[in-house]
Amino acid sequence: MSFASKLHDLRVAQRLSLQDVANAVGISKAHVFNLEKGITANPSMELVIKLAELFRVRVADLVGDNPDADDQPAEVVAMFRDLKNLAPGDRETIKLMMETLKKRREQDD
């Protein structure tokens, strides 16, 4: 689900108007509308944080970087985000390292 869709769904679920959201985070009603429609694609981190606080969700949940939103610590989400940006060969190296660590843990158990 896109940031725009999540923002819209959260606003509607909490029965807030575009103006309510705009007032709460200090932007215009038109800007909220543009965010929800995907017209404004790259909001500032400051704005994303304000929106996450307003809707009482984690930033990762709002922007879609959280691979398993409900039960993952922030550092795991950050690692997932970093992993997505690695070259395929580097991801393969990380995969091999993880497999080695899992085998070691299984042997210790």
Side-chain angles (χ1 to χ4, degrees), residues 81-93:
R81 185 181 317 114
D82 291 342
L83 183 63
K84 290 191 310 184
N85 294 321
L86 292 177
D90 293 337
R91 283 196 302 267
E92 183 63 28
T93 300

Side-chain angles (χ1 to χ4, degrees), residues 68-89:
D68 197 5
D70 292 333
D71 62 356
Q72 294 302 314
E75 62 269 10
V76 172
V77 174
M79 288 172 57
F80 175 74
R81 185 181 317 114
D82 291 342
L83 183 63
K84 290 191 310 184
N85 294 321
L86 292 177

Side-chain angles (χ1 to χ4, degrees), residues 7 10-11 14 16 21 50-57:
L7 179 59
L10 286 166
R11 181 180 64 78
Q14 293 190 20
L16 296 173
V21 174
K50 286 180 181 180
L51 290 166
E53 289 172 351
L54 172 66
F55 294 115
R56 302 183 58 85
V57 298

Side-chain angles (χ1 to χ4, degrees), residues 2-73:
S2 71
F3 172 81
S5 298
K6 288 179 186 181
L7 179 59
H8 174 78
D9 291 351
L10 286 166
R11 181 180 64 78
V12 170
Q14 293 190 20
R15 297 180 176 201
L16 296 173
S17 69
L18 292 169
Q19 191 65 56
D20 292 334
V21 174
N23 292 344
V25 298
I27 60 175
S28 70
K29 177 180 170 182
H31 194 145
V32 177
F33 178 83
N34 288 340
L35 287 168
E36 285 190 4
K37 296 300 178 190
I39 297 167
T40 302
N42 293 315
S44 70
M45 187 51 128
E46 178 184 351
L47 177 55
V48 172
I49 290 168
K50 286 180 181 180
L51 290 166
E53 289 172 351
L54 172 66
F55 294 115
R56 302 183 58 85
V57 298
R58 295 185 290 188
V59 169
D61 299 330
L62 189 58
V63 299
D65 279 347
N66 194 338
D68 197 5
D70 292 333
D71 62 356
Q72 294 302 314

